[in-house]
Amino acid sequence: MNPGENGSKPAGRARGGTLAPAPAPAAEPTVLLDVAGLDVRFGRGRRLVHAVRGISLQIRRGECVAIVGESGSGKSVTARTLVGLAGAGARVSAERLALAGTDLRSLSERRWRRIRGRRIGFVFQDALVSLDPLRTVGAEVAEPLRVHRLLPARRVPERVAELLAEVGIPDPARRARQYPHQLSGGLRQRALIASAVAADPELLVADEPTTALDVTVQAQILDLLQAMQRRGTALLLISHDLAVVARLADRVAVMKDGRIVESGPTADILAAPRHPFTRELIAAVPGRKPPPPRPAAVGPAIIEARGLHKRYPTPGGGEILAVRDVSLTLRAGETLAVVGESGSGKSTLGRLLLGLLTPDAGTVHLDGEAWSGVPERLRRPRRRHIGVIQQDPLSSFDPRLTVEQVVGEALRAIGVPAARRRDRVVELLEQVGLGAGVLRRSPARLSGGQRQRVAIARALATGPRVLVCDEPVSALDVSVQAQVLELLTRLRDELGLAMLFISHDLAVVRQIADRVLVMKDGRVVEAGPADEVFTQPSAAYTRELLAAIPRWETPDSRPVELSANEIGRSTSR
Amino acid sequence: MRWLAGRVLAAVAVLWGAATLTFLTLHLVPGDPATVLLGGAAATSSGLREQVIAEYGFDDPIPVQYLRYLGRLLVGDLGESYQQQLPVTTVIGEQLGPTLQLTATATVVALAVAVLTATATAGRRLPGLRGLTSGLELFALSLPAFWLGTVLLAVFSFRLGLFPVAGDVGPTSLVLPTLTLALPIAGILAQTMRDGMDAALQQPFAVTARARGLSDLAVRARHALRHAMLATITLSGWFVGHLIGGAVLVESVFARPGIGRVTLDAINGKDIPVVTGVVMLSALAFVVISGVSDVLYRIVDPRLRTD
């Protein structure tokens, strides 16, 4: 600890609510961050991971630069290296690594601390775990002010309330006294941004700032970041989602396997990508092209739900209506998407259809026979007809089992003799695009896409007629997302499956759904063929959702939701 | 408020259970209750037995005796130690001070040692340091109090003459007993705390705090330590048990006055009223501590506050 380290700086730097930027040498007036030949390595010998391989990057004052790449591309490590927090055991080297003339390469820990939070602010993804759950929101936002001794202690609460108000948090004084778990995801992310900009840094680094958020909230956070940039803060945006950064970034760097494979002005990259990987990324952004029209589903109804209601008690003694009067019919060979934001009741609806919850009112029929309200003993032999695929397959696998055991377990449940299981597992794995090579692997050691394929194989093992997919691609990178969606569509058509597709992501739904139910507060606010819902939405809420989808226009691909977009802008803004 | 009422009700139930068990023990052990109560004092005086029978009403039906017994407990009457010819409350009350002193200092020392070692070693990638401290902790928590006490006595009192050998003669006589009682507790607390702190330092909020300019130590002290405390509060029940059990051994090794000595003497001399009193006191201590730890949970972790 070094008390008094910053004590020599005048405490009353703040004037009129904004803090003056820290003094910077005048050598490079425009380039704020200058990185050249940056290398980051972890481990040694056979365990060596070369996470970042000689990347170069420049950010000017007031500019927004984005690094786009998939998980494992080294983009987050790059971001963290900029604040000297690449991680334990990281070895960093660079030809140039400078912030406004300050060489960051050989900084002592003490001098790093004067840069972190003060000159470079950092916003991490998922504010639920990026804010300390045991401390008030106000204490977290105040931390940079206190650490860098920017204000006398008695003026801190006032400044915290100002900061919270600046990021658009209503009733800031009360919110400052609350704890992170008492705030919604969007408010938490705003509070996290408030804490990152509290000391008025010259550069704000945001690592996947909107990944865990609903589309409408995501749009608000992006607006907020844009406002920060307009006020003169340089922005480095890290994302796996090209559509998100396209709205904000002046320049984009596409990263793959630790290297920047392509970089340039955003418009140029999107319009004329040169590197195949960039093209792949752009093609993978869901919902950019409408799927080819399919003949209307003609299969028989597999699931029929009528007037479903479900209530949950709340801690205060009240109750919330999670699902209110929802009816739906799901036919063989069609995909019915249930769309809504968190808390809309879409997952509860899925669990009602799976027979994991009992409806308070209403009925579910499976194959024309009663499914809800039937004793579990009678229902169990019929469970094989409904398969389920969840967002995070890893937590639905027993971590000690191999892929063969995971899938084999489902086969055993329907009475396939042990001798025949191995062959059947291999068949199933081939059906989902995996080979016998993964049989003995642990699911934990597979990639996210491979894991989801194993989950699909397991769901198919019992020969289901219905697949209930709850956010099946939300945890995946966009290019993997596209492959898994393709697989699901193919399986639906080949096997004549009825598919219920629960998702918060309209762009994904656009790609796969035949019909769409839009849910809000437990109610269905709009239902109809996907084409109609996306091009001529009737409910105001649907238009709001559609308007919030990040998108861009390029000459060769007319933005497909153009009409919805315009309606949305005129009604919701 | 409902929560508090529930807690109090549960506490009363525990105490009532303990009281009932001791009452049953008195009546279920072989021999008549008057003789059992008198223990060693039975032989000394023949009139005493009649006095006890009259006082406790052993001629009355059992339910009447039981209710009378509970009634007396309610007003804090634990009965009489016939061997010491003193009320049990007096016997225990006189010896409570030294024991409270010992357990309080031991608690403070154990917590201090645990906080320091956990804060210093959590999340560090120095296998040597970690291995050494966790080895020492394992050693400390496996040490029996009588052995540790004897060794400390042999080295610091007999060999070096730094501390008094026995008795309660001012602050210096508290040092060795405190260490004997505190070290094994510190061993376990340090391990759970470091575990909790390791987990907290892995969380994204720890990196976020570093990215705001906090030093590594400040992240530990201001953020991770509170998370580590949560795991520690869970252990408070075990902690009290260990303190009470440990106090019995430590007080007898160091020949200190206190509840431990009282208990040991009472058990050896079959002074049942005093044993009963000690049991009730321990039950009370457990009930109070579990209440306190519930409140502590709510203070440390805002997510548990229901209002």
Side-chain angles (χ1 to χ4, degrees):
Chain A
M1 292 291 286
N2 49 337
E5 160 97 14
N6 297 323
S8 57
K9 290 187 181 171
R13 275 168 152 270
R15 35 182 174 72
T18 35
L19 298 155
E28 287 268 25
T30 52
V31 174
L32 178 63
L33 180 78
D34 187 8
V35 180
L38 177 68
D39 266 277
V40 184
R41 296 180 181 83
F42 294 91
R44 283 175 197 283
R46 283 174 56 209
R47 293 193 165 187
L48 178 85
V49 177
H50 200 159
V52 178
R53 301 164 185 244
I55 71 161
S56 299
L57 191 71
Q58 286 194 333
I59 303 179
R60 294 179 187 84
R61 291 187 185 276
E63 189 184 32
C64 174
V65 174
I67 300 181
V68 178
E70 308 199 308
S71 29
S73 61
K75 57 189 195 302
S76 285
V77 174
T78 304
R80 292 175 59 159
T81 304
L82 299 181
V83 285
L85 292 172
R91 297 194 306 285
V92 179
S93 65
E95 287 158 33
R96 281 200 309 278
L97 183 59
L99 179 74
T102 311
D103 193 341
L104 303 177
R105 282 178 302 178
S106 50
L107 281 189
S108 65
E109 175 62 23
R110 170 181 291 212
R111 292 193 56 206
W112 261 126
R113 291 211 300 270
R114 277 193 270 173
I115 288 182
R116 292 181 197 137
R118 177 73 187 91
R119 299 187 59 193
I120 304 180
F122 211 117
V123 180
F124 288 88
Q125 73 176 83
D126 199 356
L128 178 57
V129 283
S130 288
L131 293 170
D132 188 338
L134 303 188
R135 294 173 22 123
T136 61
V137 171
E140 290 284 276
V141 175
E143 206 160 60
L145 299 172
R146 294 187 202 279
V147 174
H148 299 288
R149 295 160 198 272
L150 297 173
L151 284 178
R154 66 190 155 74
R155 290 198 45 205
V156 167
E158 183 194 338
R159 178 70 188 135
V160 166
E162 275 172 29
L163 282 163
L164 291 177
E166 274 169 35
V167 296
I169 294 183
D171 201 359
R174 186 175 67 91
R175 291 299 187 183
R177 289 191 303 272
Q178 289 187 320
Y179 290 90
H181 72 278
Q182 292 167 305
L183 270 57
S184 68
L187 287 185
R188 278 199 295 261
Q189 197 68 36
R190 284 168 191 272
L192 196 62
I193 292 174
S195 113
V197 300
D200 202 19
E202 298 141 80
L203 173 65
L204 185 62
V205 182
D207 188 357
E208 303 273 9
T210 63
T211 299
L213 303 176
D214 286 325
V215 272
T216 52
V217 183
Q218 167 174 291
Q220 292 161 7
I221 295 295
L222 292 177
D223 285 344
L224 174 61
L225 289 173
Q226 194 160 34
M228 298 284 162
Q229 188 204 345
R230 292 218 175 105
R231 279 177 15 189
T233 312
L235 199 58
L236 176 62
L237 207 57
I238 311 288
S239 180
H240 71 281
D241 192 341
L242 254 178
V244 164
V245 305
R247 243 187 76 183
L248 247 65
D250 303 308
R251 288 185 299 124
V252 175
V254 180
M255 215 168 158
K256 182 176 168 56
D257 300 330
R259 291 194 179 85
I260 289 180
V261 295
E262 181 163 9
S263 67
T266 310
D268 295 359
I269 299 263
L270 293 178
R274 284 192 308 274
H275 195 277
F277 178 67
T278 316
R279 272 186 234 133
E280 216 176 285
L281 267 186
I282 291 177
V285 170
R288 296 196 63 242
K289 279 184 290 220
R294 302 186 334 114
V298 287
I302 310 279
I303 285 190
E304 289 220 62
R306 290 289 161 261
L308 290 179
H309 284 267
K310 184 67 191 174
R311 288 186 295 268
Y312 290 123
T314 56
E319 54 180 28
I320 51 164
L321 291 160
V323 169
R324 315 181 197 197
D325 193 22
V326 174
S327 301
L328 60 87
T329 305
L330 184 56
R331 294 176 184 281
E334 75 163 350
T335 303
L336 172 63
V338 179
V339 180
E341 302 193 274
S342 17
S344 61
K346 54 189 195 303
S347 286
T348 301
L349 176 63
R351 308 188 111 227
L352 287 170
L353 299 182
L354 282 168
L356 298 173
L357 289 174
T358 309
D360 293 319
T363 57
V364 180
H365 280 78
L366 175 65
D367 267 334
E369 286 177 57
W371 176 248
S372 62
V374 175
E376 187 56 32
R377 189 170 44 81
L378 299 177
R379 212 153 48 176
R380 200 165 293 133
R382 295 164 66 203
R383 283 212 173 270
R384 58 176 296 182
H385 297 309
I386 304 188
V388 61
I389 296 165
Q390 308 196 31
Q391 175 172 353
D392 177 15
L394 193 56
S395 53
S396 69
F397 295 151
D398 184 329
R400 288 161 308 174
L401 298 189
T402 62
V403 168
E404 180 180 359
Q405 288 167 319
V406 164
V407 181
E409 202 177 34
L411 292 173
R412 192 181 60 199
I414 58 162
V416 175
R420 294 225 309 273
R421 268 181 229 154
R422 159 77 54 99
D423 294 339
R424 183 76 188 113
V425 170
V426 173
E427 267 175 51
L428 285 163
L429 289 176
E430 278 166 0
Q431 204 168 13
V432 298
L434 295 172
V438 298
L439 275 179
R440 293 178 182 283
R441 304 267 294 276
S442 158
R445 298 194 168 269
L446 299 177
S447 71
Q450 287 174 318
R451 259 181 233 156
Q452 202 55 289
R453 284 170 194 270
V454 172
I456 295 172
R458 176 175 62 175
L460 293 179
T462 59
R465 310 189 53 197
V466 187
L467 274 188
V468 174
C469 313
D470 195 349
E471 304 274 7
V473 297
S474 302
L476 303 176
D477 283 328
V478 270
S479 62
V480 183
Q481 227 174 43
Q483 293 161 9
V484 171
L485 289 176
E486 222 175 87
L487 171 67
L488 285 172
T489 312
R490 180 169 63 76
L491 290 171
R492 176 198 64 195
D493 295 343
E494 281 176 14
L495 305 172
L497 295 171
M499 194 151 85
L500 187 81
F501 193 95
I502 299 169
S503 179
H504 73 284
D505 190 336
L506 280 114
V508 164
V509 164
R510 171 74 170 145
Q511 193 141 324
I512 193 165
D514 299 312
R515 289 190 298 126
V516 177
L517 287 185
V518 182
M519 284 186 77
K520 181 178 178 19
D521 302 330
R523 283 200 186 84
V524 173
V525 295
E526 175 150 13
D531 231 31
E532 256 179 63
V533 172
F534 279 93
T535 52
Q536 297 157 334
S538 58
Y541 178 66
T542 314
R543 290 197 289 269
E544 207 178 299
L545 283 180
L546 287 172
I549 303 178
R551 62 169 67 75
W552 71 86
E553 298 176 29
T554 53
D556 62 324
S557 68
R558 186 181 62 89
V560 289
E561 301 91 355
L562 190 61
S563 55
N565 184 7
E566 283 165 350
I567 297 166
R569 287 241 168 91
S570 57
T571 55
S572 66
R573 290 286 142 81
Chain B
M1 262 2 256
R2 267 177 67 189
W3 167 76
L4 195 68
R7 288 296 319 184
V8 170
L9 218 65
V12 170
V14 168
L15 290 177
W16 172 68
T20 307
L21 274 179
T22 53
F23 178 82
L24 284 177
T25 318
L26 181 63
H27 287 266
L28 288 178
V29 292
D32 78 305
T35 318
V36 173
L37 271 184
L38 281 168
T44 55
S45 156
S46 56
L48 211 49
R49 204 175 114 78
E50 281 70 42
Q51 185 195 329
V52 169
I53 291 175
E55 203 165 295
Y56 277 81
F58 282 135
D59 295 332
D60 293 333
I62 294 284
V64 175
Q65 289 185 39
Y66 177 58
L67 288 178
R68 184 163 47 221
Y69 165 76
L70 287 185
R72 282 183 179 169
L73 275 186
L74 270 182
V75 296
D77 178 4
L78 290 169
E80 185 118 350
S81 163
Y82 297 98
Q83 296 181 11
Q84 302 191 34
Q85 313 224 318
L86 284 169
V88 170
T89 42
T90 313
V91 174
I92 291 177
E94 276 176 356
Q95 303 295 326
L96 200 56
T99 300
L100 281 181
Q101 207 178 23
L102 175 64
T103 49
T105 51
T107 304
V108 170
V109 169
L111 276 175
V113 170
V115 166
L116 285 178
T117 56
T119 310
T121 58
R124 300 259 193 249
R125 290 165 66 93
L126 297 167
L129 176 70
R130 271 198 88 123
L132 185 69
T133 46
S134 65
L136 279 177
E137 284 155 14
L138 199 63
F139 182 62
L141 69 88
S142 347
L143 288 178
F146 56 86
W147 185 85
L148 179 60
T150 317
V151 169
L152 288 176
L153 269 181
V155 176
F156 291 101
S157 299
F158 295 122
R159 178 75 47 91
L160 299 173
L162 288 176
F163 299 107
V165 173
D168 181 10
V169 287
T172 50
S173 65
L174 202 58
V175 174
L176 293 184
T178 298
L179 285 179
T180 310
L181 193 54
L183 282 182
I185 295 176
I188 288 216
L189 287 187
Q191 294 207 318
T192 40
M193 265 194 194
R194 185 172 45 234
D195 237 38
M197 206 176 253
D198 273 341
L201 289 173
Q202 298 279 321
Q203 296 283 320
F205 67 75
V207 189
T208 307
R210 290 296 306 277
R212 290 185 192 127
L214 256 71
S215 68
D216 184 47
L217 186 65
V219 172
R220 285 157 195 270
R222 291 197 211 170
H223 292 268
L225 195 56
R226 286 187 75 167
H227 291 259
M229 291 312 279
L230 280 179
T232 315
I233 297 171
T234 315
L235 278 179
S236 55
W238 165 86
F239 187 82
V240 174
H242 200 97
L243 277 180
I244 295 175
V248 173
L249 291 169
V250 170
E251 284 171 6
S252 75
V253 168
F254 290 92
R256 279 179 61 83
I259 297 295
R261 280 286 294 286
V262 170
T263 314
L264 213 57
D265 291 348
I267 290 172
N268 282 333
K270 297 202 172 63
D271 192 347
I272 297 300
V274 174
V275 173
T276 310
V278 171
V279 168
M280 290 306 295
L281 182 70
S282 317
L284 186 68
F286 270 106
V287 162
V288 168
I289 286 300
S290 85
V292 168
S293 66
D294 266 17
V295 172
L296 278 180
Y297 264 132
R298 279 168 174 71
I299 291 173
V300 176
D301 192 343
R303 291 166 295 187
L304 295 175
R305 297 175 206 157
T306 42
D307 47 344

